[in-house]
Amino acid sequence: AKEAGRNATRFFDQAMQTTLDHRAGLEAGLRHALAREEFVLYAQPQVNAEGALIGAELLLRWQPPGQALVLPNDFIPLAEESGLIVPIGLWVLHSACATLRRWAADPRRAGLALAVNVSARQFRQPDFVEQVASALSYFSIAPQRLKLELTESLLLDKVDEVVAKMRALHALGVCFSLDDFGTGYASLAYLKRFPFEQLKIDRSFIRDIASDPDDAAIVRAIVAMGDALRLDVVAEGVENDAQYAYLTEHGCRAFQGYLFGRPVPLAEFETRLES
Ligand code: C2E
Ligand code: CA
Ligand code: CA
Ligand code: CA
């Protein structure tokens, strides 16, 4: 039994070591990914109740040369821990502004909004407001077209600081969206302290909306709350007609999900806009 225990320990140590090696390799790769231009932005459409395009969300991918495309859930956590999310997030922000700049010149696209995900670590940088302000002026875009998606975790700590920053950005004209709503701790009373324009219902509530009365009730409550607080409500992860029908019947007016389009490389998204 002792022997088995030792083997188990050794096995565990080896597994740990493999995980650590994997992590170290990942972090080393990530560290050079920006300079080597290995990040790629995908765009996913957002539509209104009539199914017309109203904007897009930018979603980051990492393409290490000769390897499979890496999805954000497999590198964003590490980028956050290591602090690399700060320069990466700045690159995303600049790319979004450059895109809005291109769109502004085209009447068919000038009305579209573009959303970017901002991680808590990035938002909490002391110079985040200045970074956004200088990107807006460098690319001279209409700030209203830029939407910053924040998650509830950011709203739990140093609330006054967060509110002050959001107000400063809001004064510049930038819009805020509360991402993954319902999965964290934000409550109704809490929400009104922050200048959000929009909240996105997490897709875990949308998935079974047509069959699960609890999920359906939660979504109806979120839509009602959004109306009461004059927030736009976006349903995320809409994959089928039954979900879309339920949502439109119950007052939801903006949608994102595979039913309307999967995330595609930004260049491809822009080409489709032309046709
Ligand atoms: P998120 O912000 O909630 O983005 C939506 C995620 O849901 C995306 O996953 C998208 O591909 C996926 N999705 C969209 N529609 C559907 C659908 O109908 N069904 C299903 N099953 N999934 C759908 P993705 O691209 O893998 O991104 C995962 C997360 O990584 C994002 O979740 C966001 O939190 C984070 N992320 C992505 N890009 C960035 C970025 O540039 N910066 C930061 N800080 N985080 C990012
Ligand atoms: Ca998002
Ligand atoms: Ca989300
Ligand atoms: Ca249930």
Side-chain angles (χ1 to χ4, degrees):
K2 228 176 184 177
E3 181 65 12
R6 246 196 316 274
N7 282 339
T9 309
R10 200 176 306 140
F11 176 80
F12 179 74
D13 286 348
Q14 275 169 3
M16 269 300 276
Q17 196 53 51
T18 310
T19 308
L20 289 175
D21 289 349
H22 177 72
R23 257 184 76 103
L26 206 63
E27 189 173 334
L30 209 50
R31 201 166 286 287
H32 298 108
L34 256 187
R36 294 176 184 159
E37 301 182 29
E38 294 170 3
F39 288 115
V40 191
L41 284 168
Y42 277 49
Q44 185 179 31
Q46 296 180 334
V47 303
N48 65 15
E50 287 74 48
L53 186 70
I54 52 176
E57 176 177 4
L58 287 180
L59 295 159
L60 188 61
R61 272 97 183 91
W62 178 23
Q63 179 61 80
Q67 291 177 53
L69 192 69
V70 189
L71 290 170
N73 291 340
D74 292 327
F75 69 89
I76 297 271
L78 192 59
E80 274 167 356
E81 272 173 53
S82 60
L84 286 168
I85 194 66
V86 175
I88 295 171
L90 196 57
W91 177 81
V92 173
L93 177 71
H94 287 168
S95 305
C97 292
T99 304
L100 283 167
R101 175 77 207 164
R102 281 195 300 281
W103 290 0
D106 179 344
R108 288 165 304 177
R109 307 168 180 177
L112 300 177
L114 195 55
V116 296
N117 294 285
V118 176
S119 90
R121 180 123 184 212
Q122 184 187 2
F123 187 88
R124 289 194 185 281
Q125 292 298 301
D127 61 352
F128 183 68
V129 176
E130 289 88 88
Q131 298 280 15
V132 175
S134 57
L136 290 171
S137 77
Y138 179 83
F139 292 98
S140 62
I141 54 166
Q144 293 76 7
R145 302 278 172 244
L146 181 67
K147 205 161 265 166
L148 302 183
E149 297 197 357
L150 309 178
T151 51
E152 286 165 273
S153 62
L154 182 66
L155 313 181
L156 300 177
D157 194 31
K158 299 197 179 135
V159 169
D160 294 340
E161 238 170 65
V162 173
V163 169
K165 258 187 185 174
M166 285 180 74
R167 290 217 177 111
L169 287 161
H170 205 249
L172 295 172
V174 173
C175 296
F176 288 100
S177 180
L178 182 53
D179 207 355
D180 305 338
F181 185 74
T183 58
Y185 302 93
S187 69
L188 195 141
Y190 208 75
L191 250 186
K192 67 172 187 194
R193 303 180 58 181
F194 302 90
F196 283 103
E197 269 75 31
Q198 182 184 84
L199 55 87
K200 300 181 83 172
I201 310 175
D202 190 71
R203 73 178 144 86
S204 59
F205 300 111
I206 306 298
R207 195 182 51 222
D208 300 323
I209 196 177
S211 58
D212 186 328
D214 297 341
D215 286 342
I218 291 169
V219 169
R220 288 198 310 273
I222 295 175
V223 171
M225 188 191 83
D227 282 346
L229 295 175
R230 289 173 303 280
L231 292 166
D232 296 332
V233 176
V234 181
E236 286 197 288
V238 182
E239 295 184 352
N240 59 54
D241 288 317
Q243 293 164 337
Y244 184 36
Y246 188 91
L247 287 160
T248 45
E249 267 166 42
H250 291 88
C252 191
R253 288 181 294 273
F255 311 86
Q256 185 177 341
Y258 295 167
L259 182 63
F260 312 101
R262 289 188 178 247
V264 294
L266 178 58
E268 192 180 322
F269 183 88
E270 294 191 280
T271 311
R272 285 189 196 178
L273 287 179
E274 276 157 23
S275 54

